[in-house]
Each structure stands twice: as structure tokens, then as C-alpha cells.
Coordinates of all heavy atoms in Angstrom, one line a residue:
K1 N -14.7 -13.3 1.0 CA -13.8 -13.2 -0.3 C -14.1 -11.8 -1.0 O -13.6 -11.6 -2.1 CB -14.1 -14.3 -1.2 CG -13.6 -15.7 -0.7 CD -12.2 -15.9 -1.1 CE -11.7 -17.2 -0.7 NZ -11.1 -17.2 0.6
K2 N -14.8 -10.9 -0.3 CA -15.2 -9.7 -1.0 C -14.0 -8.9 -1.5 O -13.9 -8.5 -2.6 CB -16.0 -8.8 0.0 CG -16.3 -7.4 -0.7 CD -16.7 -6.3 0.2 CE -16.8 -5.0 -0.7 NZ -17.5 -4.0 0.0
I3 N -13.0 -8.7 -0.6 CA -11.8 -7.8 -0.9 C -11.0 -8.5 -2.0 O -10.5 -7.8 -2.9 CB -11.0 -7.5 0.3 CG1 -11.8 -6.6 1.3 CG2 -9.7 -6.7 -0.1 CD1 -12.4 -5.3 0.8
D4 N -11.0 -9.8 -2.0 CA -10.3 -10.5 -3.1 C -11.0 -10.2 -4.5 O -10.3 -10.0 -5.5 CB -10.3 -12.1 -2.9 CG -9.6 -12.4 -1.5 OD1 -8.4 -12.3 -1.5 OD2 -10.3 -12.8 -0.6
S5 N -12.3 -10.2 -4.5 CA -13.0 -9.9 -5.7 C -12.7 -8.4 -6.2 O -12.5 -8.2 -7.4 CB -14.5 -10.0 -5.5 OG -14.9 -11.2 -5.1
V6 N -12.7 -7.5 -5.2 CA -12.4 -6.1 -5.5 C -11.0 -6.0 -6.1 O -10.8 -5.3 -7.1 CB -12.5 -5.2 -4.2 CG1 -12.0 -3.8 -4.5 CG2 -13.9 -5.2 -3.7
M7 N -10.1 -6.7 -5.5 CA -8.7 -6.7 -6.0 C -8.6 -7.3 -7.5 O -7.9 -6.8 -8.3 CB -7.8 -7.5 -5.1 CG -7.5 -6.9 -3.8 SD -6.5 -8.0 -2.7 CE -6.0 -6.9 -1.4
Q8 N -9.4 -8.4 -7.7 CA -9.2 -9.1 -9.0 C -9.6 -8.2 -10.2 O -9.1 -8.3 -11.3 CB -10.1 -10.3 -9.0 CG -9.4 -11.5 -8.2 CD -10.4 -12.5 -7.7 OE1 -11.6 -12.5 -8.1 NE2 -10.0 -13.3 -6.7
T9 N -10.6 -7.3 -10.0 CA -11.1 -6.5 -11.1 C -10.4 -5.1 -11.2 O -10.8 -4.3 -12.0 CB -12.6 -6.4 -11.1 OG1 -13.0 -5.9 -9.8 CG2 -13.3 -7.7 -11.4
S10 N -9.5 -4.9 -10.4 CA -8.8 -3.5 -10.4 C -7.7 -3.5 -11.4 O -7.1 -4.5 -11.7 CB -8.3 -3.1 -9.0 OG -7.2 -4.0 -8.7
S11 N -7.4 -2.3 -12.0 CA -6.3 -2.2 -12.9 C -5.0 -2.3 -12.2 O -4.0 -2.6 -12.8 CB -6.4 -0.8 -13.6 OG -7.6 -0.7 -14.3
C12 N -4.9 -1.8 -10.9 CA -3.7 -1.9 -10.1 C -4.1 -1.8 -8.7 O -5.1 -1.2 -8.3 CB -2.7 -0.8 -10.5 SG -1.2 -0.9 -9.6
I13 N -3.3 -2.5 -7.8 CA -3.5 -2.4 -6.4 C -2.3 -1.7 -5.8 O -1.1 -2.1 -6.1 CB -3.7 -3.8 -5.7 CG1 -4.8 -4.5 -6.4 CG2 -3.9 -3.6 -4.2 CD1 -4.8 -6.0 -6.1
T14 N -2.5 -0.6 -4.9 CA -1.4 -0.1 -4.2 C -1.5 -0.5 -2.8 O -2.6 -0.5 -2.2 CB -1.3 1.5 -4.3 OG1 -2.6 2.0 -4.0 CG2 -1.0 1.9 -5.8
V15 N -0.4 -0.9 -2.1 CA -0.4 -1.3 -0.8 C 0.7 -0.7 0.0 O 1.8 -0.3 -0.5 CB -0.2 -2.9 -0.7 CG1 -1.4 -3.6 -1.3 CG2 1.1 -3.3 -1.4
G16 N 0.5 -0.6 1.4 CA 1.5 0.0 2.2 C 2.5 -0.9 2.9 O 3.4 -0.4 3.5
N17 N 2.4 -2.2 2.7 CA 3.4 -3.1 3.3 C 3.3 -4.5 2.7 O 2.5 -4.8 1.9 CB 3.2 -3.2 4.8 CG 1.9 -3.8 5.2 OD1 1.5 -4.9 4.7 ND2 1.2 -3.2 6.2
S18 N 4.3 -5.3 3.1 CA 4.4 -6.6 2.5 C 3.3 -7.6 2.8 O 3.0 -8.5 2.0 CB 5.8 -7.2 2.8 OG 6.0 -7.2 4.2
Y19 N 2.7 -7.5 4.0 CA 1.6 -8.4 4.4 C 0.4 -8.1 3.4 O -0.2 -9.1 3.0 CB 1.2 -8.1 5.8 CG 0.1 -8.9 6.4 CD1 0.3 -10.3 6.7 CD2 -1.2 -8.4 6.7 CE1 -0.7 -11.1 7.2 CE2 -2.2 -9.2 7.2 CZ -1.9 -10.6 7.5 OH -2.9 -11.3 8.0
L20 N 0.1 -6.9 3.2 CA -1.0 -6.5 2.2 C -0.6 -6.9 0.8 O -1.4 -7.3 0.0 CB -1.3 -5.0 2.3 CG -1.6 -4.5 3.7 CD1 -1.7 -3.0 3.7 CD2 -2.9 -5.1 4.3
M21 N 0.7 -6.8 0.5 CA 1.2 -7.1 -0.9 C 1.0 -8.6 -1.2 O 0.5 -9.0 -2.3 CB 2.6 -6.7 -1.0 CG 3.1 -7.0 -2.5 SD 4.7 -6.3 -2.8 CE 4.3 -4.6 -3.2
E22 N 1.2 -9.4 -0.2 CA 1.1 -10.9 -0.3 C -0.4 -11.2 -0.7 O -0.6 -12.0 -1.6 CB 1.4 -11.5 1.0 CG 2.1 -12.8 1.0 CD 2.5 -13.2 2.4 OE1 3.4 -12.7 3.0 OE2 1.8 -14.1 3.0
R23 N -1.3 -10.6 0.0 CA -2.7 -10.9 -0.3 C -3.1 -10.3 -1.7 O -3.8 -11.0 -2.4 CB -3.6 -10.2 0.8 CG -5.1 -10.4 0.6 CD -5.6 -11.8 1.0 NE -7.0 -11.9 1.2 CZ -7.6 -12.3 2.3 NH1 -7.0 -12.7 3.3 NH2 -9.0 -12.3 2.3
A24 N -2.6 -9.1 -2.0 CA -2.9 -8.5 -3.3 C -2.4 -9.4 -4.4 O -3.1 -9.6 -5.4 CB -2.3 -7.1 -3.3
K25 N -1.2 -9.9 -4.3 CA -0.6 -10.6 -5.4 C -1.3 -12.0 -5.6 O -1.1 -12.5 -6.7 CB 0.9 -10.9 -5.1 CG 1.8 -9.6 -5.4 CD 3.2 -9.9 -5.4 CE 4.0 -8.8 -6.1 NZ 5.4 -8.8 -5.8
Q26 N -2.0 -12.5 -4.7 CA -2.8 -13.7 -4.9 C -3.9 -13.4 -5.8 O -4.5 -14.3 -6.4 CB -3.3 -14.2 -3.6 CG -2.3 -14.8 -2.6 CD -2.8 -15.0 -1.2 OE1 -4.0 -15.0 -1.0 NE2 -1.9 -15.1 -0.3
N27 N -4.3 -12.1 -6.0 CA -5.5 -11.7 -6.8 C -5.2 -10.9 -8.0 O -6.1 -10.8 -8.8 CB -6.4 -11.0 -5.8 CG -7.0 -11.8 -4.7 OD1 -7.7 -12.7 -5.0 ND2 -6.6 -11.5 -3.5
N28 N -4.0 -10.4 -8.1 CA -3.8 -9.5 -9.3 C -2.3 -9.4 -9.5 O -1.5 -9.4 -8.6 CB -4.3 -8.1 -8.8 CG -4.5 -7.2 -10.0 OD1 -3.6 -7.0 -10.9 ND2 -5.7 -6.6 -10.1
N29 N -1.9 -9.3 -10.8 CA -0.4 -9.3 -11.1 C 0.1 -7.8 -11.0 O 1.3 -7.6 -11.0 CB -0.2 -9.8 -12.6 CG -0.5 -11.2 -12.7 OD1 -0.3 -12.0 -11.7 ND2 -1.0 -11.6 -13.8
S30 N -0.8 -6.9 -11.0 CA -0.3 -5.5 -11.0 C -0.5 -4.9 -9.6 O -1.6 -4.5 -9.1 CB -1.2 -4.6 -12.0 OG -0.7 -3.3 -12.0
V31 N 0.6 -5.0 -8.8 CA 0.6 -4.5 -7.4 C 1.8 -3.6 -7.2 O 2.9 -3.9 -7.6 CB 0.7 -5.7 -6.4 CG1 0.6 -5.2 -5.0 CG2 -0.4 -6.7 -6.7
Q32 N 1.6 -2.5 -6.6 CA 2.7 -1.5 -6.4 C 2.8 -1.1 -4.9 O 1.8 -0.8 -4.2 CB 2.3 -0.3 -7.2 CG 3.2 0.9 -7.2 CD 4.4 0.7 -8.1 OE1 5.5 0.3 -7.7 NE2 4.3 1.0 -9.4
W33 N 4.0 -1.1 -4.4 CA 4.2 -0.7 -3.0 C 4.3 0.8 -2.9 O 5.1 1.5 -3.5 CB 5.5 -1.3 -2.4 CG 5.9 -0.8 -1.1 CD1 5.2 -1.0 0.1 CD2 7.1 -0.1 -0.7 NE1 5.8 -0.4 1.2 CE2 7.0 0.2 0.7 CE3 8.2 0.4 -1.4 CZ2 8.0 0.9 1.4 CZ3 9.2 1.1 -0.7 CH2 9.1 1.3 0.7
I34 N 3.4 1.4 -2.1 CA 3.4 2.9 -1.8 C 3.4 3.0 -0.3 O 2.3 2.8 0.3 CB 2.2 3.6 -2.5 CG1 2.2 3.4 -4.0 CG2 2.3 5.1 -2.1 CD1 2.9 4.4 -4.8
P35 N 4.5 3.3 0.4 CA 4.4 3.4 1.8 C 3.6 4.6 2.3 O 3.3 5.5 1.5 CB 5.9 3.6 2.2 CG 6.6 4.2 1.0 CD 5.8 3.6 -0.2
T36 N 3.1 4.5 3.5 CA 2.4 5.7 4.1 C 3.5 6.7 4.4 O 4.5 6.4 5.1 CB 1.6 5.3 5.3 OG1 0.6 4.3 4.9 CG2 0.9 6.5 5.9
V37 N 3.4 7.9 3.9 CA 4.5 8.9 4.0 C 4.1 10.2 4.6 O 2.9 10.5 4.8 CB 5.0 9.1 2.5 CG1 5.6 7.9 2.0 CG2 3.9 9.6 1.6
I38 N 5.1 11.0 4.8 CA 4.8 12.4 5.3 C 5.3 13.4 4.3 O 6.1 13.1 3.4 CB 5.6 12.6 6.7 CG1 7.1 12.4 6.5 CG2 5.0 11.7 7.8 CD1 7.9 13.6 6.3
D39 N 4.8 14.7 4.5 CA 5.2 15.8 3.7 C 6.5 16.4 4.3 O 6.4 16.9 5.4 CB 4.1 16.8 3.7 CG 4.4 18.1 2.9 OD1 5.6 18.3 2.5 OD2 3.5 18.9 2.6
I40 N 7.6 16.3 3.7 CA 8.9 16.6 4.2 C 9.0 18.1 4.6 O 9.7 18.6 5.4 CB 10.0 16.2 3.2 CG1 11.3 16.0 4.0 CG2 10.3 17.2 2.1 CD1 11.4 14.6 4.6
D41 N 8.1 18.9 3.9 CA 8.1 20.4 4.2 C 7.4 20.7 5.5 O 7.7 21.8 6.1 CB 7.5 21.2 3.0 CG 8.2 21.0 1.7 OD1 9.5 20.8 1.8 OD2 7.6 21.1 0.7
R42 N 6.6 19.8 6.0 CA 5.9 20.1 7.2 C 6.7 19.6 8.4 O 6.5 20.1 9.5 CB 4.5 19.3 7.3 CG 3.4 20.0 6.6 CD 2.1 19.2 6.9 NE 1.7 19.3 8.3 CZ 1.2 18.2 9.0 NH1 1.1 17.1 8.4 NH2 0.9 18.4 10.2
Y43 N 7.5 18.6 8.2 CA 8.2 18.0 9.3 C 9.7 18.4 9.3 O 10.4 18.2 8.3 CB 8.2 16.4 9.2 CG 6.9 15.8 9.5 CD1 5.8 15.9 8.7 CD2 6.7 15.2 10.8 CE1 4.6 15.3 9.0 CE2 5.5 14.6 11.1 CZ 4.4 14.7 10.2 OH 3.2 14.1 10.6
T44 N 10.1 19.1 10.3 CA 11.5 19.5 10.4 C 12.1 18.9 11.6 O 11.5 18.6 12.6 CB 11.6 21.1 10.5 OG1 10.7 21.5 11.5 CG2 11.2 21.7 9.2
P45 N 13.5 18.6 11.6 CA 14.1 18.0 12.7 C 13.9 18.8 14.0 O 13.9 20.1 14.0 CB 15.6 18.0 12.3 CG 15.5 17.9 10.8 CD 14.4 18.8 10.4
R46 N 13.9 18.2 15.1 CA 13.7 18.8 16.4 C 14.9 19.6 16.8 O 16.0 19.3 16.3 CB 13.4 17.8 17.5 CG 14.6 17.0 17.9 CD 14.3 15.8 18.7 NE 15.5 15.0 18.8 CZ 16.1 14.8 19.9 NH1 15.7 15.3 21.0 NH2 17.3 14.2 20.0
R47 N 14.7 20.6 17.6 CA 15.8 21.4 18.1 C 16.5 20.7 19.3 O 15.9 19.8 19.9 CB 15.3 22.8 18.6 CG 14.9 23.7 17.4 CD 14.1 24.8 17.9 NE 12.7 24.4 18.2 CZ 11.8 24.0 17.3 NH1 12.2 23.9 16.0 NH2 10.6 23.7 17.7

């Protein structure tokens, strides 16, 4: 139950997907979805 305890005392939890969000919401009302993302300036469409 360690991670549940960590979640319970945090001001907010950010998660990368809905599976993680489900677990976070069981422990805290303040949960925000932040997907894992790329820097658009580094990635350009292929030729």
C-alpha cells in the first residue's frame, strides 16, 4: 500500500493514462492527466 500512501498525502497526482488515473483517484481527488509527450520542434515529418 506504499504508493497509495504517497498518493494520499500529495497536493496533486499527474498520470500518463487512464489505468494509472483509476488507481490515483482511489487515493486523491486532485488528479490530472498529462500524457507522455514529444517536443514538436525536434520531430519533423519524414521525407
Side-chain angles (χ1 to χ4, degrees):
K1 292 271 182 275
K2 176 197 173 165
I3 298 301
D4 300 290
S5 304
V6 171
M7 289 175 168
Q8 282 155 15
T9 51
S10 67
S11 300
C12 180
I13 305 164
T14 53
V15 294
N17 66 45
S18 53
Y19 182 70
L20 303 172
M21 183 171 275
E22 216 173 285
R23 181 74 168 235
K25 282 192 163 166
Q26 290 166 17
N27 294 293
N28 199 309
N29 294 326
S30 181
V31 184
Q32 180 81 263
W33 173 62
I34 303 272
T36 300
V37 294
I38 57 97
D39 178 349
I40 209 83
D41 296 333
R42 276 188 68 220
Y43 286 76
T44 49
R46 73 197 171 110
R47 286 162 288 290

